[in-house]
Amino acid sequence: MIAAFPLMIVPFVLYNLAMMGLFGQGGIAVLDSEILSLAMLSGAIWTLSMGDLFILVALAILFVEILKSTRHGSGSLVNHMLSMLVFIAFLVEFLLLQGAATQIFFILMIITFIDVVGGFAVSIRTAGRDVSIGL
């Protein structure tokens, strides 16, 4: 049953914890806080902010979710339904809460939408290959 748990809830929870002030200052300002800064060979300075880290985590989780959608069984259907609920939670929060009206949250919401649509598409595609006709 743990395989049916939608992992895309992790970026959702992390974003909301950041807005409540768990990662230092609260609110939208935490998204711009610098986590890592590297001097490149070209002389440029590359920085990684908290918001960028949220997007990287979401993309890594999206990869795992797409891999999970290739399995078939009752757990995968529950996973798809719960992933849809996570997307709906993203959408409702984006539309109703001021702290969620950011580019970072919008990108996280789109990654969740790709998880939902991609999961259904991959599941339908793999289920079509599993059908055997006894000729």
Side-chain angles (χ1 to χ4, degrees):
M1 191 62 183
I2 191 77
F5 182 75
L7 297 177
M8 288 305 293
I9 201 164
V10 172
F12 183 75
V13 170
L14 286 175
Y15 187 92
N16 285 315
L17 290 175
M19 289 300 113
M20 292 184 333
L22 184 70
F23 303 120
Q25 71 266 28
I28 297 173
V30 73
L31 297 175
D32 293 329
S33 63
E34 186 178 301
I35 293 179
L36 179 66
S37 180
L38 294 175
M40 306 303 285
L41 292 176
S42 65
I45 304 275
W46 178 76
T47 59
L48 179 71
S49 68
M50 181 70 77
D52 298 335
L53 184 63
F54 287 163
I55 292 173
L56 289 175
V57 167
L59 287 172
I61 289 173
L62 175 64
F63 175 72
V64 173
E65 284 287 331
I66 296 295
L67 289 179
K68 280 175 39 178
S69 68
T70 60
R71 294 178 295 115
H72 47 305
S74 62
S76 66
L77 182 60
V78 172
N79 184 326
H80 294 319
M81 290 187 307
L82 292 175
S83 293
M84 179 62 83
L85 290 176
V86 171
F87 171 69
I88 291 170
F90 263 102
L91 184 61
V92 167
E93 188 167 328
F94 179 71
L95 294 173
L96 297 180
L97 296 180
Q98 188 175 7
T102 64
Q103 293 86 352
I104 303 294
F105 194 82
F106 179 76
I107 292 170
L108 293 175
M109 182 178 67
I110 295 301
I111 291 171
T112 305
F113 178 72
I114 292 170
D115 171 39
V116 171
V117 173
F120 279 122
V122 168
S123 292
I124 289 170
R125 186 76 174 162
T126 57
R129 290 184 182 165
D130 289 341
V131 174
S132 62
I133 300 173
L135 293 176

